[in-house]
């Protein structure tokens, strides 16, 4: 069985690298806090020690998770084609209320709908993938079914 690669934009990859660097910078202070709490004495009733140990464990877990994300990352750069794909910005019109929204199509790790980043494997993202301007696409989400028209696609 081949490994599954996480598709992401170059910016998404850089964000993960940046978070790893920040965590690596914070790590020595967490280790120091753990050592200081350990020096306070009885570990069974030492809340500072338990808290410092938990914080360090969370940091280490997050580092492992992010490193796995990079290990299995597939950076996708958009082509010059006129179809929707990861890394392109799309403007769509919801046909039920004629409201327009603009999204950057990204990998699932980067998705943040309030920041205008739409995951390519969300119901809306998956439906518009590989479509062109003026295509009308029907989306089936867990709550309802609706249609959108692709107004604009840019790199």
């Amino acid at each position: 069985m081949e490994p599954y690669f996480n598709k992401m934009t170059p910016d998404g990859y850089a964000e993960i690298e940046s978070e790893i660097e920040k965590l690596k910078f914070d790590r020595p202070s967490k280790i120091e806090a753990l050592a200081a709490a350990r020096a306070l004495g009885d570990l069974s009733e030492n809340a500072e020690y338990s808290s410092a140990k938990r914080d360090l464990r969370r940091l280490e877990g997050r580092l492992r998770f992010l490193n796995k994300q990079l290990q299995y990352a597939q950076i996708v750069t958009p082509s010059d084609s006129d179809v929707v794909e990861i890394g392109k910005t799309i403007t769509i019109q919801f046909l039920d209320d004629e409201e327009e929204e603009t999204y950057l199509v990204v990998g699932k790790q980067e998705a943040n709908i309030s920041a205008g980043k739409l995951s390519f494997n969300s119901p809306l993202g998956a439906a518009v993938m590989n479509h062109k301007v003026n295509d009308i696409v029907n989306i089936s989400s867990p709550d309802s079914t609706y249609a959108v028209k692709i107004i604009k696609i840019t790199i």
Side-chain angles (χ1 to χ4, degrees), residues 26-94:
D26 292 344
R27 191 172 182 219
S29 65
K30 301 280 186 195
I31 292 171
E32 209 173 279
L34 180 64
R38 181 182 206 117
L40 294 176
D42 184 14
L43 300 181
S44 64
E45 295 181 17
N46 189 335
E48 289 86 5
Y49 176 76
S50 297
S51 176
K53 189 174 176 182
R54 183 185 63 242
D55 290 346
L56 182 60
R57 207 172 28 236
R58 284 183 182 160
L59 183 139
E60 295 288 347
R62 183 71 179 159
L63 270 173
R64 279 192 303 278
F65 173 77
L66 292 173
N67 281 316
K68 283 287 185 191
Q69 293 293 311
L70 293 186
Q71 180 181 356
Y72 291 104
Q74 178 184 12
I75 298 174
V76 177
T77 51
S79 66
D80 218 9
S81 67
D82 59 349
V83 297
V84 177
E85 57 189 16
I86 295 175
K88 290 190 177 178
T89 301
I90 61 169
T91 301
I92 57 175
Q93 180 184 41
F94 293 89

Side-chain angles (χ1 to χ4, degrees), residues 90-132:
I90 61 169
T91 301
I92 57 175
Q93 180 184 41
F94 293 89
L95 297 181
D96 56 351
D97 62 1
E98 297 188 11
E99 184 178 325
E100 287 188 11
E101 293 286 336
T102 300
Y103 298 109
L104 173 63
V105 181
V106 296
K108 66 181 179 180
Q109 304 82 358
E110 307 167 71
N112 182 350
I113 203 73
S114 61
K117 294 182 177 183
L118 176 69
S119 171
F120 77 95
N121 65 349
S122 67
L124 175 57
V128 298
M129 289 297 285
N130 299 315
H131 282 276
K132 298 180 178 187

Side-chain angles (χ1 to χ4, degrees), residues 127-144:
V128 298
M129 289 297 285
N130 299 315
H131 282 276
K132 298 180 178 187
V133 172
N134 293 324
D135 283 358
I136 295 177
V137 181
N138 292 313
I139 295 96
S140 295
S141 69
D143 294 337
S144 65

